Amino acid sequence: MLTALALDVLGLSGESAPSPSPTGAGAASGTASSGPFEVTAWMENEAGCTALPQRLSSPKDRAELVSGGDVEAVVRRHSGARVGDLVVGFTLEGGARSLTITSIDIEPASPRADPSFSGTLLCEPGAGGEPKIQMFADLDRPNPVLVTGMASARPYFREKVITLQPGEQVNLSATFRAENGSRAFKLLIRYVQNGKEATLPVPSPRGSRYAVTGFATRYGAVYEGSPGGVYRRVEGARPCRWSPTSQGC
């Protein structure tokens, strides 16, 4: 079962979106502009793992991995998910009039988490940075909301809001965390403008989706990738190098 999902907000950093790379790391952005403000999302994962629910059996898929082909397409075809942490950057850009964002809601695709993906594991060496501010949501709850801390029951947006002025840009970095299950989800921004409440869906990064999974104990196949997108098969089925909590390591 999925135990926790964390959202780390880095504030007004003014950072630019990273360039695309395989398995979602720095993947291209998606933008929603059908409302009074724009929301742009992109993948920020610098390193880590992506899991697929099935073991790759197609010669074409395996060739893409070991030859530096379109690994992102392989992940997309097999509905893969980032493992442990899914790091996504967001830019909110104000429109013609000011407004107040009162909530960022999490909408799971299913009432409960599915088992962790254990088919194929694709990993890139390295580690990401530390977050500045954290909010958490327990997806074991029927209606998960972002709260102020892992052990807190206080909704983050009960006391805090984001005010977006005309033309203003607010940059956020979100880390969605899973430990013992897999889950796909959507994000929905609630806001108030001129006293009227409305909503705007948060687009997923282009070519990707909002999905995260915990590490499995064993995998059908494990691959390690280089920054250039070329992957090699790793002996063994346990993700010991990337998940120190894996059984049997």
Side-chain angles (χ1 to χ4, degrees), residues 2-35:
L2 187 61
T3 59
L5 175 148
L7 176 63
D8 306 328
V9 180
L10 298 188
L12 306 179
S13 62
E15 298 172 338
S16 60
S19 58
S21 60
T23 68
S29 62
T31 301
S33 57
S34 58

Side-chain angles (χ1 to χ4, degrees), residues 196-249:
K196 296 182 179 181
E197 296 184 354
T199 61
L200 184 70
V202 180
S204 58
R206 188 166 61 247
S208 185
R209 66 184 186 129
Y210 291 124
V212 64
T213 179
F215 277 98
T217 303
R218 300 177 65 89
Y219 289 89
V222 178
Y223 291 82
E224 182 180 76
S226 69
V230 178
Y231 287 74
R232 65 178 182 86
R233 181 77 178 269
V234 178
E235 294 296 329
R238 296 186 178 93
C240 299
R241 178 173 176 179
W242 302 278
S243 175
T245 60
S246 292
Q247 297 179 9
C249 293

Side-chain angles (χ1 to χ4, degrees), residues 52-123:
L52 311 182
Q54 307 90 14
R55 179 175 179 175
L56 293 181
S57 58
S58 164
K60 176 183 177 182
D61 288 336
R62 295 198 299 267
E64 292 275 20
L65 294 181
V66 301
S67 66
D70 192 351
V71 179
E72 189 175 274
V74 175
V75 173
R76 190 165 56 248
R77 284 197 298 270
H78 293 275
S79 299
R82 293 296 286 187
V83 184
D85 291 336
L86 165 67
V87 185
V88 183
F90 302 99
T91 295
L92 312 180
E93 184 171 351
R97 294 176 294 176
S98 63
L99 54 86
T100 299
I101 294 171
T102 59
S103 178
I104 301 176
D105 294 351
I106 304 161
E107 297 186 343
S110 59
R112 295 184 179 180
D114 295 320
S116 297
F117 292 172
S118 60
T120 302
L121 186 68
L122 310 175
C123 292

Side-chain angles (χ1 to χ4, degrees), residues 102-215:
T102 59
S103 178
I104 301 176
D105 294 351
I106 304 161
E107 297 186 343
S110 59
R112 295 184 179 180
D114 295 320
S116 297
F117 292 172
S118 60
T120 302
L121 186 68
L122 310 175
C123 292
E124 310 89 40
E130 292 295 323
K132 293 182 179 179
I133 300 174
Q134 290 185 329
M135 295 186 289
F136 297 87
D138 184 355
L139 294 193
D140 289 337
R141 298 178 180 273
N143 300 300
V145 297
L146 294 167
V147 295
T148 56
M150 182 69 75
S152 173
R154 181 183 302 173
Y156 183 87
F157 283 97
R158 177 178 293 173
E159 300 175 355
K160 300 179 181 181
V161 297
I162 299 173
T163 300
L164 197 58
Q165 299 296 340
E168 180 183 10
Q169 286 192 348
V170 174
N171 294 328
L172 311 175
S173 180
T175 300
F176 303 97
R177 181 166 299 162
E179 293 181 357
N180 298 313
S182 64
R183 214 166 196 183
F185 56 95
K186 296 180 180 178
L187 297 177
L188 186 70
I189 293 180
R190 298 188 181 275
Y191 65 95
V192 176
Q193 187 176 57
N194 294 335
K196 296 182 179 181
E197 296 184 354
T199 61
L200 184 70
V202 180
S204 58
R206 188 166 61 247
S208 185
R209 66 184 186 129
Y210 291 124
V212 64
T213 179
F215 277 98

